[in-house]
Structure formats: C-alpha cells, structure tokens
Amino acid sequence: MGSQEVLGQAARLASSGLFLQVLFRLITFVLNAFILRFLSKEIVGVVNVRLTLLYSTTLFLAREAFRRACLSGGTQRDWSQTLNLLWLTVPLGVFWSLFLGWIWLQLLEVPDPNVVPHYATGVVLFGLSAVVELLGEPFWVLAQAHMFVKLKVIAESLSVILKSVLTAFLVLWLPHWGLYIFSLAQLFYTTVLVLCYVIYFTKLLGSPESTKLQTLPVSRITDLLPNITRNGAFINWKEAKLTWSFFKQSFLKQILTEGERYVMTFLNVLNFGDQGVYDIVNNLGSLVARLIFQPIEESFYIFFAKVLERGKDATLQKQEDVAVAAAVLESLLKLALLAGLTITVFGFAYSQLALDIYGGTMLSSGSGPVLLRSYCLYVLLLAINGVTECFTFAAMSKEEVDRYNFVMLALSSSFLVLSYLLTRWCGSVGFILANCFNMGIRITQSLCFIHCYYRRSPHRPLAGLHLSPVLLGTFALSGGVTAVSEVFLCCEQGWPARLAHIAVGAFCLGATLGTAFLTETKLIHFLRTQLGVPRCTDKMT
C-alpha cells in the first residue's frame, strides 16, 4: 500500500470520525447538561474524579502499551500472535482492578455516606466495567489497523449516548440510589461498547460476499480467540518487548495525563465539591480536544506508523514516503495551531457565558470562569502536543522510546510536585498551570526529535508553527474586541445583551477564519485534497 493511499485512508478516518463524533457528542452534551441540574457537586466529584480515575487507570495500565505496540508497523504480520498478545490485557485488567480497588476502598478517604451513598459498590462496579471493556480489545485493534472508519466512532458514541439516557432516567426516577445510578450506567456503557464490536465482526465474518474479507487476516469469529500458531509460538516476542517499553512509558504518561486527579485523590487538596466543579470545567474545556484533536491524533499516528520505518534515519528511507510524512506533519501542525489559537482567543471572552448556559450559577459563579479561561490556553498546548507526539511515537525506535521514558519519569515527578504547590498557592487553577508547564516540556521534547529527524533532509515540517503577521494581528484584534464586548454585554444584562455579545464573537470569528483562508493557502489545499477525499472516493465502513 503506497503512502498516498495510506494518507487517504487516514484522512477519511479522521474526517468521518470528526463529523460523527461532533454529532453524537452534541447529543451527549445536551443530556449531561440536563443531568447536571439534578446532582450535587459532591456526587459529581466522587463519580467524575475518584471512580472515573479508578476506571481510566485500570484501562490505561492494562491496554495502552498493547495498543501502541500492536498498531505499529503494517498489517502484514502473524495476526494470531498479535491477537494472543492482546488477550493478555484481560488478566492484566483483572489484576489492576483488584489492586487499585483495594487502594480505593482501604487507603483513600471514604465520602460521607449521607451525602454520597453506596461508595463501595461504585468501586467494585467501576473496576468490573474496566475488565468488561478489555474483552473487546482484540476487536478494537483489528478494526483500527484495517481502518474501519465508522465502527469505532459509532460504537463509542452510541454507548455514551445510551449511558447518558440511562443515567438521566435513573436520576429522575430513582435519585436515592446515589452511586448505584452511575455504576450501573458505566457497566452498561462498557457492555454495549464491546457488543458493538463483537456483533459487527460476527456479521462481517459471516458474510462471505463481503469485500472486506479479502483484507482481513481472520475468516471466522473464532480466529479472534487465543490459539497456538502454526510455528508453535503463542506471541511475537518482538511485539512483546515493544509492549514492555511502551508500558513503562504509559505508566508515566498516565501520571502526566491524569496527574491532577491523582493529586486530588491522594493528597486531598480539594474537597469533593470543589473537585466536582473542577472536573465539569475540565470536561467542558477538553470537549473540543476530544472531538477534533483526538481523532486526528489517532488516525495520523496510524498513518505515520505505516509510512515510516520505526527507528530508521529519514535519509535511509524511501524519500517519497518521507516527503509525504513531512508535508502531512507540517499541515497538521498548522491546523492544530490555528484551532488552538482560535479556542484560546475566543474562549477568554465567552467562558462565563458558556458555563452559565451549561450548568447555571453553580458553574458561572466562583472559580468556574477563571478555570475555563485558563483551560483555553491549555487546549492550545494540547493541540500542538497531540500532533507532535503522534509523529514522535510512530518514528521512535525501541531504544529511543526507552530513553524518552527517563525524561518522562523526571517530568512526572516535577509535575506532581508543581501541581501540589500551585494548588496550595492559587487553588484549582494551579492544576491547569501545572498541566501547561507539563505540556510545554513534552512539546519541546517532541520538537527536538522532529528537528533532528529531518535535520539532514530538505524537508522542514516545523514551518507549520509559523503564522502570517496579518493573521496574528487579526487574532489580537478579535481578542480585544470580544473582551470589551464581554465587559459591556455579558452576563448580567439579560438575554438580548448576551445575544449581542454572541453576534460580536461570530463576526470576529468569521473575520479571523476568512483571513486564515486567504493567508494559509497551503493548509487549505491540504484540507481540500485530503480531508475532502470522502467526496470523491468510496467510503470505508
């Protein structure tokens, strides 16, 4: 498969994923806004911070390294060994859920049962839901490796929507159930998610006329189960060693990704109510990152991993592939920078209004607006880091990944200390400031790797981080105009003034996007030729 064809598939995966995720996330957004009005800050804090951290930590430690290792390289491999390796995530998940569940029940502060009832049951069911989700891991990796564009997005989005509907129903009709509601909804979510993958592959492999069967390495659903391969080896030891390298890195990356939740959970720097407000703002602020940046990062990580040879110098690889990878990286960096700057500039003047609409005075008063404004700056760094790291991890050799682990170790320690100190000094905003510092260091590491990787080639993908002075001036002017508009029109003068404030923002946004369209012609060409591919080619399902 040529680099252009792989690029086209990655672009289709990203663009189709973007559209579907925006649609489903908007539905979930409305449902969550409705649910939020019936909950206390304490319950939100326990569910969204304490229990969700148990679930995400279990999944991350059990599967992240396996995903990265098994998605590296091409589809031409002994898939029986790869699938066997992926099934090891299940016993690993059982171990981590039991070990972490014991910590959550025995070593951490237990919420007041009168305010947050049924905490122990919540711990058990959230741990169980993580194990259930791991049962679908071989199906997920197979789908990702063969770029089944819509399956992942539809499965995850449908599961989230059904979970939100069930939660809304139980909150309205059985509010006294407390954590039973969210625990059952979480278990329901993971069950539906796994069933979506199992049902899809069962129907696909049961249809001999399906054209996709020609590209799949399995012909029956039972081929996805653990089995001894023809050469007698249960797993591919090269993949297993790479998995171990990624595991050491994933452990550190999890601390960096969820660092503020670990500090909140283990050091008790915020009460459960403040944790709830912070988490709601954090989720709202990261909505764009999950909708836009994550699908792009996941899709183009696969592209870079397929096009480039891991650990091999750029001058020693096929130059056509190196050139395509450089052009794609430059365009993705430009896209991430523009999207992040737009969110940062306009988010400053519209944070309070967004919080008031989403959660009422519980969010728009107090520290909520300051938190969201700070998070808008963090989103800019998130966007750039997502692109740089998806290239870096796809191109690094095993030895380079191991060396990177030492940097991550030092960064993890400094991040946790900085989070604790900044939170003591300036409250929950300290978490976001520490995250910005952490993300800045990670971006610097990735930029250094990319610079060295292309140093002896004629390609300069880091040029994607340069914007025209005219566009930068437009961003600055828009930020000033919307800030003045907020002072005079938002948010105590009623809805007519709010609508006028929104109109001012829409006009400034239009002017900014128009300037970007006229000045960033190279990026526009990339978006038209690559993300516009679905209009002129057959879509993959």
Side-chain angles (χ1 to χ4, degrees):
M1 184 182 293
S3 58
Q4 289 293 342
E5 186 177 351
V6 175
L7 174 58
Q9 289 187 350
R12 287 196 294 273
L13 183 62
S15 58
S16 179
L18 283 177
F19 175 76
L20 291 172
Q21 286 206 33
V22 168
L23 176 63
F24 288 126
R25 287 286 184 181
L26 284 176
I27 298 173
T28 309
F29 179 84
V30 173
L31 287 171
N32 288 340
F34 172 77
I35 294 169
L36 192 60
R37 284 164 166 76
F38 296 90
L39 302 176
S40 67
K41 294 187 292 185
E42 288 73 20
I43 285 212
V44 173
V46 171
V47 172
N48 287 6
V49 177
R50 178 72 67 85
L51 296 181
T52 301
L53 183 63
L54 169 65
Y55 164 79
S56 64
T57 302
T58 301
L59 286 181
F60 204 95
L61 293 175
R63 78 182 182 189
E64 180 68 14
F66 289 85
R67 282 187 170 185
R68 287 199 174 273
C70 294
L71 285 174
S72 298
T75 57
Q76 300 302 317
R77 66 176 83 182
D78 188 338
W79 271 96
S80 295
Q81 293 179 336
T82 299
L83 293 171
N84 289 341
L85 184 64
L86 288 168
W87 279 111
L88 295 179
T89 60
V90 178
L92 263 179
V94 173
F95 166 76
W96 284 117
S97 64
L98 291 174
F99 177 69
L100 295 174
W102 177 81
I103 293 176
W104 258 240
L105 289 172
Q106 300 299 323
L107 302 183
L108 298 181
E109 176 191 1
V110 177
D112 183 352
N114 295 320
V115 179
V116 184
H118 316 303
Y119 172 72
T121 303
V123 170
V124 172
L125 291 182
F126 267 77
L128 177 61
S129 68
V131 176
V132 170
E133 185 166 340
L134 291 171
L135 293 173
E137 199 59 22
F139 302 91
W140 186 92
V141 170
L142 188 62
Q144 284 292 99
H146 290 81
M147 293 186 175
F148 288 2
V149 176
K150 297 179 182 177
L151 174 59
K152 173 179 177 291
V153 176
I154 291 178
E156 293 184 358
S157 301
L158 179 63
S159 303
V160 170
I161 290 174
L162 292 178
K163 171 189 172 182
S164 298
V165 170
L166 178 62
T167 303
F169 176 81
L170 294 176
V171 164
L172 283 176
W173 293 99
L174 299 167
H176 59 281
W177 275 23
L179 291 185
Y180 282 156
I181 295 173
F182 301 94
S183 303
L184 292 174
Q186 181 67 24
L187 188 59
F188 177 71
Y189 159 77
T190 56
T191 303
V192 172
L193 180 63
V194 173
L195 285 177
C196 285
Y197 281 97
V198 172
I199 292 173
Y200 178 86
F201 276 102
T202 301
K203 296 186 71 173
L204 178 65
L205 296 174
S207 304
E209 68 278 5
S210 175
T211 57
K212 290 189 177 64
L213 288 180
Q214 300 173 4
T215 61
L216 284 176
V218 294
S219 58
R220 302 184 307 273
I221 193 67
T222 54
D223 293 339
L224 288 163
L225 298 176
N227 61 85
I228 302 298
T229 60
R230 295 174 184 174
N231 60 12
F234 186 72
I235 60 175
N236 183 326
W237 286 104
K238 183 179 179 180
E239 281 184 341
K241 291 177 181 177
L242 185 59
T243 300
W244 173 241
S245 296
F246 278 125
F247 175 78
K248 291 181 287 185
Q249 176 193 333
S250 69
F251 185 81
L252 301 174
K253 186 178 179 181
Q254 175 68 359
I255 294 177
L256 294 173
T257 305
E258 302 276 14
E260 69 273 13
R261 287 181 170 84
Y262 288 114
V263 173
M264 278 188 269
T265 299
F266 289 94
L267 299 180
N268 297 321
V269 292
L270 299 176
N271 59 45
F272 288 117
D274 290 339
Q275 290 180 27
V277 173
Y278 173 82
D279 190 76
I280 293 170
V281 173
N282 180 63
N283 287 335
L284 187 61
S286 64
L287 185 64
V288 176
R290 294 196 304 270
L291 286 175
I292 299 176
F293 304 141
Q294 186 176 354
I296 290 176
E297 179 184 349
E298 291 178 350
S299 301
F300 283 95
Y301 171 79
I302 297 173
F303 162 73
F304 290 128
K306 287 177 178 291
V307 168
L308 301 175
E309 295 183 49
R310 181 180 293 279
K312 195 172 182 179
D313 190 89
T315 58
L316 302 178
Q317 300 191 45
K318 187 178 179 181
Q319 290 307 297
E320 179 188 353
D321 292 345
V322 172
V324 170
V328 171
L329 178 58
E330 180 181 349
S331 296
L332 290 178
L333 285 173
K334 183 83 71 176
L335 180 62
L337 181 59
L338 284 175
L341 271 177
T342 302
I343 293 166
T344 301
V345 170
F346 289 92
F348 183 86
Y350 290 89
S351 292
Q352 185 175 0
L353 179 59
L355 290 175
D356 192 64
I357 294 173
Y358 185 66
T361 55
M362 181 182 79
L363 297 181
S364 62
S365 61
S367 62
V370 177
L371 281 171
L372 189 55
R373 290 185 183 113
S374 303
Y375 204 96
C376 288
L377 173 61
Y378 178 52
V379 168
L380 170 61
L381 300 177
L382 269 178
I384 298 173
N385 181 71
V387 173
T388 56
E389 281 198 347
C390 87
F391 176 88
T392 299
F393 291 143
M396 275 183 171
S397 66
K398 176 184 176 297
E399 292 73 22
E400 288 171 324
V401 172
D402 287 335
R403 286 197 298 269
Y404 189 80
N405 288 337
F406 289 103
V407 178
M408 295 281 277
L409 178 61
L411 188 58
S412 301
S413 303
S414 62
F415 169 68
L416 293 177
V417 173
L418 189 61
S419 295
Y420 179 77
L421 295 177
L422 288 176
T423 306
R424 289 294 187 186
W425 174 47
C426 54
S428 51
V429 177
F431 284 122
I432 300 176
L433 297 178
N435 271 314
C436 289
F437 171 79
N438 154 44
M439 204 58 61
I441 299 297
R442 287 168 63 177
I443 290 172
T444 302
Q445 287 290 120
S446 297
L447 291 180
C448 290
F449 175 84
I450 295 170
H451 173 73
C452 293
Y453 189 84
Y454 281 104
R455 181 173 50 194
R456 288 182 288 179
S457 77
H459 310 292
R460 296 294 179 263
L462 296 184
L465 294 175
H466 300 153
L467 296 180
S468 70
V470 175
L471 183 55
L472 289 174
T474 306
F475 271 117
L477 182 61
S478 296
V481 170
T482 53
V484 172
S485 173
E486 182 184 30
V487 172
F488 290 100
L489 298 176
C490 187
C491 291
E492 304 299 332
Q493 281 78 21
W495 272 104
R498 293 183 178 189
L499 292 175
H501 180 47
I502 293 173
V504 170
F507 175 79
C508 291
L509 179 61
T512 303
L513 295 179
T515 304
F517 185 84
L518 294 174
T519 58
E520 302 299 338
T521 54
K522 193 173 182 180
L523 173 63
I524 300 303
H525 176 73
F526 172 78
L527 294 176
R528 281 177 170 173
T529 56
Q530 298 304 331
L531 298 186
V533 166
R535 293 196 296 267
C536 55
T537 58
D538 293 334
K539 293 183 179 180
M540 298 177 66
T541 302

